[in-house]
Amino acid sequence: MQEQIITTLTSLAGTRIEDEGKARKALAGEAADMTKTLTSYTLRKAMAATADAMPWRLLMEDQEDGEPIAAFLKLRKRLTLQLIGTTSSSSSCMIVNEQDRLKWDGVRRFLQDTGYLVSALEAAEKAAEEPAPEPATEPEPAKPAPSRRPTPAQRKALELIARGGVTRSQFTLKDRERIGSDNGTIYADTFEVLHREGWVTLDSSKPLFQG
């Protein structure tokens, strides 16, 4: 996690400092062209880019101690305290006032752009402190259900079915299904139990009205 955050910080710092370089170069080009008027737009853009890059320059300098994460958190704390205690510039020079305003806007953006990284560090630290979950115990194998034994009436029905000649029929939807046997009586309810238990199979290749 820390390596990823360091990579992200390095990338963000490079982008901000690169933007500052481009804005300064544009301002220098405009100032060097004597045929063009020096505009406040280019000057303000360079000032804003410089203000945005300032916290990142400080971070790159502080990282030279070899503890980039510690330097990052320390810089955020220092800039937060400075931002809380600062007051707006009241200079008689409008440029100085604008420069001061852009400076603290740059600090705010730095704190906003890196807030999620602090949250990620705190979450990783909390996860590391939590005890590892105990290994899940394997559930005991399910005991096989005791096999059911047919009742005397069900056994008698099975014997009749085994002899053959048993049909199941229904002539109309209103009629109850009937079980026909050449050798004895098999009640429909008994047959349903036999079929549900898997003790008999039902041939449904013919419609019920044919049996």
Coordinates of all heavy atoms in Angstrom, one line a residue, residues 5-62:
I5 N 1.1 4.4 -2.7 CA 0.9 5.8 -2.4 C 2.1 6.7 -2.7 O 1.9 7.8 -3.2 CB 0.6 5.9 -0.9 CG1 -0.8 5.3 -0.6 CG2 0.6 7.4 -0.4 CD1 -1.2 5.3 0.9
I6 N 3.3 6.2 -2.5 CA 4.5 6.9 -2.9 C 4.5 7.1 -4.4 O 4.8 8.2 -4.9 CB 5.7 6.1 -2.5 CG1 5.8 6.1 -1.0 CG2 7.0 6.8 -3.1 CD1 6.9 5.3 -0.4
T7 N 4.1 6.1 -5.2 CA 4.0 6.2 -6.7 C 3.0 7.3 -7.0 O 3.3 8.1 -7.9 CB 3.7 4.9 -7.3 OG1 4.6 3.9 -7.0 CG2 3.6 5.0 -8.8
T8 N 1.9 7.3 -6.4 CA 0.8 8.3 -6.7 C 1.3 9.7 -6.3 O 1.1 10.7 -7.1 CB -0.4 8.0 -5.9 OG1 -0.9 6.7 -6.2 CG2 -1.5 9.0 -6.2
L9 N 1.9 9.9 -5.2 CA 2.5 11.2 -4.8 C 3.5 11.7 -5.8 O 3.5 12.9 -6.2 CB 3.1 11.1 -3.4 CG 2.1 10.9 -2.2 CD1 2.8 10.7 -0.9 CD2 1.2 12.2 -2.1
T10 N 4.4 10.8 -6.2 CA 5.4 11.2 -7.2 C 4.8 11.6 -8.5 O 5.2 12.6 -9.1 CB 6.4 10.0 -7.4 OG1 6.9 9.6 -6.2 CG2 7.5 10.4 -8.3
S11 N 3.8 10.9 -8.9 CA 3.1 11.3 -10.2 C 2.4 12.6 -10.1 O 2.5 13.4 -11.0 CB 2.1 10.2 -10.5 OG 1.4 10.5 -11.7
L12 N 1.7 12.8 -9.0 CA 1.0 14.1 -8.8 C 2.0 15.3 -8.7 O 1.8 16.3 -9.3 CB 0.2 14.1 -7.5 CG -1.1 13.1 -7.6 CD1 -1.7 13.0 -6.2 CD2 -2.1 13.7 -8.6
A13 N 3.1 15.1 -8.0 CA 4.1 16.1 -7.8 C 4.7 16.4 -9.2 O 4.9 17.6 -9.6 CB 5.2 15.6 -6.9
G14 N 5.0 15.4 -10.0 CA 5.6 15.6 -11.3 C 4.6 16.4 -12.2 O 5.0 17.3 -13.0
T15 N 3.3 16.1 -12.1 CA 2.3 16.8 -12.9 C 2.2 18.3 -12.5 O 2.2 19.2 -13.4 CB 0.9 16.2 -12.8 OG1 1.0 14.8 -13.2 CG2 -0.1 16.9 -13.6
R16 N 2.2 18.6 -11.2 CA 2.1 20.0 -10.8 C 3.3 20.8 -11.1 O 3.2 21.9 -11.6 CB 1.8 20.0 -9.3 CG 0.6 19.3 -8.8 CD -0.7 20.0 -9.3 NE -1.9 19.4 -8.7 CZ -2.5 18.4 -9.2 NH1 -2.1 17.9 -10.3 NH2 -3.6 17.9 -8.7
I17 N 4.5 20.2 -10.9 CA 5.7 20.9 -11.2 C 5.9 21.1 -12.7 O 6.4 22.2 -13.2 CB 6.9 20.2 -10.6 CG1 6.8 20.2 -9.1 CG2 8.2 20.8 -11.1 CD1 7.8 19.3 -8.4
E18 N 5.4 20.1 -13.5 CA 5.5 20.3 -15.0 C 4.5 21.4 -15.4 O 4.9 22.2 -16.3 CB 5.1 19.0 -15.6 CG 5.2 19.0 -17.1 CD 4.8 17.6 -17.8 OE1 4.6 16.7 -17.0 OE2 4.8 17.6 -19.0
D19 N 3.4 21.5 -14.9 CA 2.4 22.5 -15.2 C 3.0 23.9 -14.9 O 2.8 24.9 -15.6 CB 1.1 22.4 -14.5 CG 0.3 21.1 -15.0 OD1 0.6 20.7 -16.1 OD2 -0.6 20.7 -14.3
E20 N 3.7 24.0 -13.7 CA 4.4 25.2 -13.4 C 5.4 25.6 -14.4 O 5.5 26.8 -14.8 CB 5.0 25.1 -12.0 CG 5.7 26.4 -11.6 CD 6.6 26.2 -10.3 OE1 6.9 25.0 -10.0 OE2 7.1 27.2 -9.8
G21 N 6.2 24.7 -14.8 CA 7.2 24.9 -15.8 C 6.6 25.5 -17.1 O 7.1 26.4 -17.8
K22 N 5.5 24.9 -17.6 CA 4.9 25.3 -18.8 C 4.3 26.7 -18.7 O 4.4 27.5 -19.6 CB 3.7 24.4 -19.1 CG 4.2 22.9 -19.6 CD 2.9 22.1 -19.8 CE 3.4 20.7 -20.2 NZ 2.2 19.8 -20.4
A23 N 3.7 27.0 -17.5 CA 3.1 28.4 -17.3 C 4.3 29.4 -17.2 O 4.1 30.5 -17.8 CB 2.3 28.4 -16.0
R24 N 5.4 29.1 -16.6 CA 6.5 30.0 -16.5 C 7.1 30.3 -17.9 O 7.5 31.4 -18.3 CB 7.6 29.5 -15.6 CG 7.2 29.6 -14.1 CD 8.3 29.0 -13.2 NE 8.1 29.2 -11.8 CZ 8.5 30.3 -11.1 NH1 9.2 31.2 -11.7 NH2 8.3 30.4 -9.8
K25 N 7.2 29.2 -18.7 CA 7.7 29.3 -20.0 C 6.9 30.2 -20.9 O 7.4 31.0 -21.7 CB 7.9 27.9 -20.6 CG 8.6 27.9 -22.0 CD 8.8 26.4 -22.5 CE 9.5 26.4 -23.8 NZ 9.7 25.0 -24.3
A26 N 5.5 30.0 -20.8 CA 4.6 30.8 -21.6 C 4.7 32.3 -21.2 O 4.7 33.2 -22.0 CB 3.2 30.3 -21.3
L27 N 4.9 32.5 -19.9 CA 5.0 33.9 -19.4 C 6.4 34.5 -19.9 O 6.4 35.7 -20.3 CB 5.0 34.0 -17.9 CG 5.3 35.3 -17.2 CD1 4.2 36.3 -17.7 CD2 5.3 35.2 -15.7
A28 N 7.4 33.7 -19.8 CA 8.7 34.2 -20.3 C 8.7 34.5 -21.8 O 9.3 35.5 -22.3 CB 9.8 33.2 -20.0
G29 N 8.0 33.7 -22.6 CA 7.9 33.9 -24.0 C 7.1 35.1 -24.3 O 7.5 35.9 -25.2
E30 N 6.0 35.4 -23.6 CA 5.3 36.6 -23.8 C 6.1 37.8 -23.4 O 6.0 38.9 -24.1 CB 4.0 36.5 -23.0 CG 3.0 37.7 -23.2 CD 1.7 37.6 -22.4 OE1 0.9 36.8 -22.9 OE2 1.6 38.2 -21.4
A31 N 6.8 37.7 -22.3 CA 7.6 38.9 -21.8 C 8.7 39.2 -22.8 O 9.2 40.3 -22.9 CB 8.1 38.6 -20.4
A32 N 9.3 38.1 -23.5 CA 10.4 38.4 -24.4 C 10.0 38.9 -25.7 O 10.8 39.5 -26.4 CB 11.1 37.0 -24.6
D33 N 8.7 38.8 -26.1 CA 8.2 39.3 -27.3 C 7.8 40.8 -27.2 O 6.7 41.1 -26.6 CB 7.0 38.5 -27.8 CG 6.6 38.8 -29.2 OD1 7.1 39.8 -29.8 OD2 5.8 38.0 -29.8
M34 N 8.6 41.7 -27.7 CA 8.4 43.1 -27.5 C 7.3 43.6 -28.3 O 6.8 44.7 -28.1 CB 9.7 43.9 -27.9 CG 10.9 43.4 -27.1 SD 10.7 43.8 -25.3 CE 10.7 45.6 -25.3
T35 N 6.8 42.8 -29.3 CA 5.7 43.2 -30.1 C 4.3 42.9 -29.5 O 3.3 43.4 -30.0 CB 5.7 42.5 -31.5 OG1 5.5 41.1 -31.2 CG2 7.0 42.7 -32.2
K36 N 4.3 42.2 -28.3 CA 3.0 41.9 -27.7 C 3.0 42.5 -26.3 O 4.0 42.8 -25.7 CB 2.9 40.3 -27.5 CG 2.8 39.6 -28.8 CD 2.6 38.1 -28.5 CE 2.5 37.3 -29.8 NZ 2.3 35.9 -29.6
T37 N 1.7 42.8 -25.9 CA 1.5 43.4 -24.6 C 1.5 42.3 -23.5 O 1.0 41.2 -23.7 CB 0.1 44.1 -24.6 OG1 0.0 45.0 -25.6 CG2 -0.1 44.7 -23.2
L38 N 2.2 42.6 -22.4 CA 2.2 41.7 -21.3 C 0.9 41.7 -20.6 O 0.4 42.7 -20.0 CB 3.3 42.1 -20.3 CG 3.7 41.1 -19.2 CD1 4.2 39.8 -19.8 CD2 4.7 41.7 -18.2
T39 N 0.2 40.5 -20.7 CA -1.2 40.4 -20.1 C -1.2 39.9 -18.7 O -0.3 39.1 -18.3 CB -2.1 39.5 -21.0 OG1 -1.5 38.2 -21.0 CG2 -2.1 40.1 -22.5
S40 N -2.2 40.3 -18.0 CA -2.4 39.8 -16.6 C -2.8 38.3 -16.6 O -2.6 37.6 -15.6 CB -3.4 40.6 -15.9 OG -4.7 40.6 -16.6
Y41 N -3.4 37.9 -17.7 CA -3.9 36.5 -17.8 C -2.7 35.5 -17.7 O -2.7 34.6 -16.9 CB -4.6 36.2 -19.1 CG -5.0 34.8 -19.3 CD1 -6.0 34.2 -18.7 CD2 -4.2 34.0 -20.2 CE1 -6.3 32.8 -18.9 CE2 -4.5 32.7 -20.4 CZ -5.5 32.1 -19.8 OH -5.8 30.8 -20.0
T42 N -1.7 35.8 -18.5 CA -0.5 34.9 -18.5 C 0.2 35.0 -17.2 O 0.7 34.0 -16.6 CB 0.4 35.2 -19.6 OG1 -0.3 35.3 -20.9 CG2 1.6 34.2 -19.8
L43 N 0.3 36.2 -16.6 CA 1.0 36.4 -15.3 C 0.3 35.7 -14.2 O 0.9 35.0 -13.4 CB 1.1 37.9 -15.0 CG 1.7 38.2 -13.7 CD1 3.1 37.7 -13.5 CD2 1.7 39.7 -13.4
R44 N -1.1 35.8 -14.2 CA -1.9 35.2 -13.2 C -1.8 33.6 -13.3 O -1.7 32.9 -12.3 CB -3.3 35.6 -13.2 CG -4.1 35.1 -12.0 CD -5.6 35.6 -12.2 NE -6.4 35.2 -11.0 CZ -6.8 33.9 -10.8 NH1 -6.5 33.0 -11.7 NH2 -7.5 33.7 -9.7
K45 N -1.8 33.1 -14.5 CA -1.7 31.7 -14.8 C -0.4 31.1 -14.2 O -0.4 30.1 -13.6 CB -1.9 31.4 -16.2 CG -2.0 29.9 -16.6 CD -2.3 29.7 -18.0 CE -2.6 28.2 -18.3 NZ -2.9 28.0 -19.7
A46 N 0.7 31.9 -14.4 CA 2.0 31.4 -13.9 C 2.0 31.5 -12.4 O 2.6 30.6 -11.8 CB 3.1 32.3 -14.5
M47 N 1.4 32.5 -11.8 CA 1.4 32.6 -10.4 C 0.5 31.5 -9.8 O 0.9 30.9 -8.7 CB 0.8 34.0 -10.0 CG 1.7 35.2 -10.3 SD 0.8 36.8 -10.1 CE 0.4 36.7 -8.3
A48 N -0.6 31.1 -10.4 CA -1.4 30.1 -9.9 C -0.7 28.7 -10.0 O -0.8 27.9 -9.1 CB -2.8 30.0 -10.6
A49 N -0.1 28.5 -11.1 CA 0.7 27.2 -11.3 C 1.8 27.1 -10.3 O 2.1 26.0 -9.8 CB 1.2 27.1 -12.7
T50 N 2.5 28.2 -10.0 CA 3.5 28.2 -9.0 C 3.0 27.9 -7.6 O 3.6 27.1 -6.8 CB 4.3 29.6 -9.0 OG1 4.8 29.8 -10.3 CG2 5.4 29.6 -8.0
A51 N 1.8 28.5 -7.3 CA 1.2 28.3 -6.0 C 0.8 26.8 -5.8 O 0.9 26.2 -4.8 CB 0.0 29.2 -5.8
D52 N 0.3 26.2 -6.9 CA -0.2 24.8 -6.9 C 1.0 23.9 -6.7 O 0.9 22.8 -6.1 CB -0.9 24.5 -8.2 CG -2.4 25.0 -8.2 OD1 -2.8 25.4 -7.1 OD2 -3.0 25.0 -9.2
A53 N 2.1 24.2 -7.3 CA 3.3 23.4 -7.2 C 4.1 23.5 -5.9 O 4.9 22.6 -5.6 CB 4.3 23.7 -8.4
M54 N 3.9 24.6 -5.2 CA 4.7 24.9 -4.0 C 4.6 23.8 -3.0 O 5.7 23.3 -2.5 CB 4.2 26.2 -3.4 CG 5.0 26.7 -2.2 SD 4.4 26.0 -0.6 CE 2.8 26.9 -0.5
P55 N 3.4 23.3 -2.6 CA 3.4 22.2 -1.6 C 4.1 20.9 -2.1 O 4.7 20.2 -1.3 CB 1.9 22.0 -1.4 CG 1.2 23.2 -1.8 CD 2.0 23.7 -2.9
W56 N 4.0 20.7 -3.4 CA 4.6 19.5 -3.9 C 6.2 19.6 -4.0 O 6.9 18.6 -3.8 CB 4.1 19.2 -5.3 CG 2.6 18.9 -5.3 CD1 1.6 19.8 -5.6 CD2 2.0 17.7 -5.0 NE1 0.4 19.1 -5.4 CE2 0.6 17.8 -5.0 CE3 2.5 16.4 -4.6 CZ2 -0.3 16.8 -4.8 CZ3 1.6 15.4 -4.3 CH2 0.3 15.6 -4.4
R57 N 6.6 20.9 -4.2 CA 8.1 21.1 -4.1 C 8.6 20.9 -2.7 O 9.6 20.3 -2.5 CB 8.4 22.5 -4.6 CG 8.3 22.7 -6.1 CD 8.8 24.1 -6.5 NE 8.7 24.3 -7.9 CZ 9.6 23.8 -8.8 NH1 10.7 23.2 -8.3 NH2 9.5 24.0 -10.1
L58 N 7.8 21.3 -1.7 CA 8.2 21.1 -0.3 C 8.2 19.6 0.0 O 9.1 19.2 0.7 CB 7.2 21.8 0.6 CG 7.2 23.4 0.6 CD1 6.0 23.9 1.5 CD2 8.5 23.9 1.0
L59 N 7.2 18.9 -0.5 CA 7.2 17.5 -0.3 C 8.4 16.8 -0.9 O 9.0 15.9 -0.2 CB 5.9 16.9 -0.9 CG 5.7 15.4 -0.7 CD1 5.7 15.0 0.8 CD2 4.4 14.9 -1.4
M60 N 8.7 17.1 -2.1 CA 9.9 16.5 -2.7 C 11.2 16.8 -2.0 O 12.1 15.9 -1.8 CB 10.0 17.0 -4.2 CG 8.8 16.6 -5.1 SD 8.4 14.9 -5.1 CE 9.8 14.3 -6.1
E61 N 11.3 18.0 -1.4 CA 12.5 18.3 -0.6 C 12.5 17.5 0.7 O 13.5 17.1 1.1 CB 12.5 19.8 -0.3 CG 12.7 20.7 -1.6 CD 12.5 22.2 -1.3 OE1 12.3 22.5 -0.1 OE2 12.7 23.0 -2.2
D62 N 11.3 17.4 1.4 CA 11.2 16.7 2.6 C 11.5 15.2 2.5 O 11.9 14.6 3.4 CB 9.9 16.9 3.3 CG 9.7 18.4 3.7 OD1 10.7 19.1 3.8 OD2 8.5 18.8 3.9

